[in-house]
Amino acid sequence: MTYTKYSISQLTSGAGLNQKVRVQGWVKSKRESKNVVFISLNDGSTIKNVQIVGDPEKLGETLLRTINSGASISASGILQTSHGKGQTVELAAENIIVDGEADPEIYPLQPKKHSLEFLREIAHFRPRSQTFGAVFRLRHAMIFAVHQFFNDRGFYNIHTPIITGSDAEGAGEMFRVTTLDPLNPPVNEAGGVDYSKDFFGKETNLTVSGQLEVEAFAQSMGLVYTFGPTFRAENSNTSRHLAEFWMIEPEMAWYDNNDNMDLAEAFLKYLVNYALDKCADDLEFLDKRDTQEEQQKPQHQRQELSLIDRLKFVSEHQFERITYTEAIEILKNSKPNKKKKFQFLIDAWGSDLKSEHERYLVEKHFKKPVIIYNYPKDIKAFYMRSNGDNTVAAMDVLFPGIGEVIGGSQREERLEYLQKRMKEMHIPEEELWWYLDLRKFGTITHSGFGLGFERLVQFVTGMNNIRDVIPFPRTPGSAEF
RNA sequence: UCCUCCUUAGCUCAGUUGGUUAGAGCGGCUGACUGUUAAUCAGUAGGUCCUUGGUUCGAGCCCAAGAGGAGGAGCCA
């Protein structure tokens, strides 16, 4: 009596029919009657469940009592064409082993709809729910697609350091990394903490960006990208921010900012298409879920398109490309600006665009993804290439619902321009001597961008809160699990 | 960090101008019934009303502080 082990994904896509098979998973629900018992089982390999059919007398009351929602079981039997509706195949159980019981009185995941907020509190169980199963299968697909896209185009993946000795990366507050005793740190002559006694002999932090380091590899290996964890100690409490998140940063030798925008657009479309192609079942589920959520909202806040239609829309339409200056003109003449509906009115060139302005451009004016480029130099980072006027060759890709999904630029490759800019922005040259070296020896035109991975996953899954697209979210005041 | 809102059964929520014993649906349990699909029907158990302090004859309800959560803003990806 040998049973071949299959995943539920394999069984529901045609494998094992009329054969002796074994499946292992977690019980979703059990429906019992005198003559027959049905168990819905899921193993995470697909959103679909497999139905197990059994004879209550043969399985025995003692065993059946322990088969409750959340219990893990191994079921063996013949996979047969289903006698009932709702599924094509079902497993006629000859034998069931309960691997781990789940006391229904206290198991927190009930066979009913739960709020996302509640599931966040049981983050160790939430991947057993349909929604989070779908989200994390999609997240995996996006990780895989990122590497596929770059590998197919001759990019090399570079692991840039997680611990950095530089605090000049210029992207916000950092988390300190230290082995010093917080209650009794060594003190220097000036009375401050003596970091020369610390593990690395200097003050170190968790990285806020791998960009500067990966530039060194772009200027030696050509096309490169990082995909790693990133840490920001900002006290940001929004549905779009995490203290620990994952970022993808490609950096390309001999790319100007136009090449950069072309790549960004092709990249995003590739990822969206990959999801549409490879994750149809999960997307269909999330699409329904998204539609139900939207119906709870008042009419004027609803999205016009369903999740799948939003993805198709992005993949099928060219992104709108406008300069910052053009964006300001559009906003200045816009209805909400004239009627003073914006909280921040647009009056002059040079101010930064706020969320409400980005949303207006993407969701109301163009109704598609928008790339804004050539920003005023005063609102952008020191390493962005000067256009010769008062702008730099920066570019931001804005998506409906989530705002900025990509931020990038052509990098300043001219040593004297870079030094001047660093001086103006009070960035000490000693900190970045090696970064300047790259401009002294064999400098080249190059560009790159950063994609917030979770924001992409938000867009692709339709999840409104970024805490629901990362396994165990880290946010201010919250590092449970 | 700022603004707004929320916290009542395992979950989602209702709870009147402050007034006897705090309710519903779902979930759990018990039973019945059925090739069932988050089954159905009947019954049943289940409460530190977030915490602390205050006002009051009396607080789930009013006031203050704190904790946790959500939405928005800023910062950004």
Side-chain angles (χ1 to χ4, degrees), chain A residues 257 260-262 264 371-375 380 384 392-397 404 406-410 448-450:
Chain A
N257 205 32
N260 201 26
M261 289 189 272
D262 289 345
I371 308 181
I372 302 178
Y373 63 100
N374 289 351
Y375 278 84
K380 287 292 180 184
M384 298 188 176
V392 290
M395 63 99 174
D396 286 352
V397 183
E404 185 181 337
I406 277 181
S409 69
Q410 186 172 335
F449 60 81

Side-chain angles (χ1 to χ4, degrees), chain A residues 25-226:
Chain A
W26 293 267
V27 174
K28 285 276 173 197
S29 64
K30 179 181 62 171
R31 295 174 291 279
E32 234 177 320
S33 70
K34 217 176 265 171
N35 309 315
V36 64
V37 57
F38 301 100
I39 299 160
S40 291
L41 193 72
N42 188 272
D43 67 357
S45 62
T46 163
I47 189 124
K48 292 175 185 165
N49 299 328
V50 75
Q51 172 160 280
I52 296 163
V53 197
D55 180 342
E57 222 164 294
K58 247 164 78 182
L59 293 171
E61 200 192 329
T62 323
L63 178 76
L64 282 176
R65 289 180 77 89
T66 61
I67 301 179
N68 297 304
S69 288
S72 49
I73 66 170
S74 302
S76 307
I78 309 277
L79 189 74
Q80 61 190 24
T81 308
S82 179
H83 298 186
K85 287 173 189 155
Q87 61 279 318
T88 53
V89 295
E90 62 192 17
L91 181 72
E94 290 164 353
N95 180 258
I96 295 177
I97 295 165
V98 175
D99 298 304
E101 293 183 31
D103 183 348
E105 299 257 19
I106 49 174
Y107 181 58
L109 246 196
Q110 300 161 357
K112 57 165 285 189
K113 188 168 165 48
H114 284 296
S115 69
L116 296 174
E117 289 82 5
F118 173 69
L119 290 169
R120 231 170 269 155
E121 290 169 13
I122 50 164
H124 55 316
F125 286 135
R126 67 179 183 168
R128 293 187 188 180
S129 70
Q130 290 192 96
T131 299
F132 283 94
V135 165
F136 291 115
R137 278 187 295 274
L138 263 153
R139 184 180 165 111
H140 160 79
M142 291 298 92
I143 293 166
F144 196 78
V146 164
H147 290 300
Q148 184 90 275
F149 175 87
F150 286 124
N151 188 58
D152 287 352
R153 280 162 186 73
F155 280 67
Y156 297 108
N157 182 211
I158 305 299
H159 288 156
T160 49
I162 311 284
I163 297 170
T164 175
S166 161
D167 62 2
E169 286 168 3
E173 295 295 310
M174 303 176 97
F175 289 102
R176 178 166 299 149
V177 175
T178 181
T179 55
L180 296 178
D181 179 356
L183 293 177
N184 188 25
V187 176
N188 60 24
E189 284 171 11
V193 176
D194 185 0
Y195 285 103
S196 70
K197 301 258 166 54
D198 205 348
F199 186 88
F200 293 105
K202 63 188 295 196
E203 204 173 340
T204 51
N205 295 291
L206 293 177
T207 182
V208 294
S209 163
Q211 182 204 314
L212 300 186
E213 285 96 345
V214 89
E215 277 190 48
F217 281 79
Q219 294 177 68
S220 50
M221 297 175 73
L223 303 175
V224 296
Y225 69 105
T226 74

Side-chain angles (χ1 to χ4, degrees), chain A residues 342-378:
Chain A
F342 282 145
Q343 196 188 336
F344 298 91
L345 293 176
I346 298 282
D347 45 5
W349 191 93
S351 61
D352 209 350
L353 302 179
K354 309 280 185 188
S355 306
E356 56 179 347
H357 307 130
E358 296 180 349
R359 268 209 309 277
Y360 174 81
L361 289 170
V362 172
E363 291 163 23
K364 292 273 163 5
H365 189 82
F366 290 113
K367 298 194 176 199
K368 57 167 142 169
V370 175
I371 308 181
I372 302 178
Y373 63 100
N374 289 351
Y375 278 84
K377 71 172 173 18
D378 292 336

Side-chain angles (χ1 to χ4, degrees), chain A residues 233-381:
Chain A
E234 302 284 353
N235 196 359
S236 298
N237 291 289
T238 82
S239 56
R240 304 179 304 282
H241 288 87
L242 292 164
E244 176 185 283
F245 63 100
W246 291 69
M247 191 155 63
I248 298 146
E249 296 173 286
E251 194 71 32
M252 297 77 69
W254 287 288
Y255 268 47
D256 65 18
N257 205 32
N258 282 317
D259 302 325
N260 201 26
M261 289 189 272
D262 289 345
L263 186 78
E265 184 168 346
F267 180 46
L268 289 168
K269 285 179 171 170
Y270 179 91
L271 296 174
V272 165
N273 278 323
Y274 192 95
L276 286 167
D277 283 352
K278 302 284 165 67
C279 306
D281 289 345
D282 287 323
L283 272 181
E284 199 180 308
F285 174 84
L286 291 169
D287 186 81
K288 265 188 210 143
R289 191 185 177 286
D290 180 74
T291 305
Q292 280 169 13
E293 292 268 301
E294 288 293 311
Q295 278 164 359
Q296 308 289 316
K297 294 184 189 167
Q299 191 106 40
H300 67 278
Q301 283 179 20
R302 290 184 200 162
Q303 308 223 36
E304 290 175 26
L305 298 175
S306 75
L307 172 62
I308 290 177
D309 287 341
R310 294 201 295 275
L311 298 184
K312 285 185 178 159
F313 188 86
V314 163
S315 99
E316 287 163 5
H317 289 79
Q318 264 215 311
F319 296 3
E320 193 69 34
R321 292 189 196 183
I322 57 169
T323 63
Y324 168 87
T325 306
E326 287 165 339
I328 289 291
E329 281 308 305
I330 290 166
L331 289 167
K332 232 194 246 176
N333 296 319
S334 70
K335 249 192 208 164
N337 200 56
K338 285 181 171 166
K339 291 194 172 172
K340 310 206 168 175
K341 288 276 167 62
F342 282 145
Q343 196 188 336
F344 298 91
L345 293 176
I346 298 282
D347 45 5
W349 191 93
S351 61
D352 209 350
L353 302 179
K354 309 280 185 188
S355 306
E356 56 179 347
H357 307 130
E358 296 180 349
R359 268 209 309 277
Y360 174 81
L361 289 170
V362 172
E363 291 163 23
K364 292 273 163 5
H365 189 82
F366 290 113
K367 298 194 176 199
K368 57 167 142 169
V370 175
I371 308 181
I372 302 178
Y373 63 100
N374 289 351
Y375 278 84
K377 71 172 173 18
D378 292 336
I379 58 172
K380 287 292 180 184

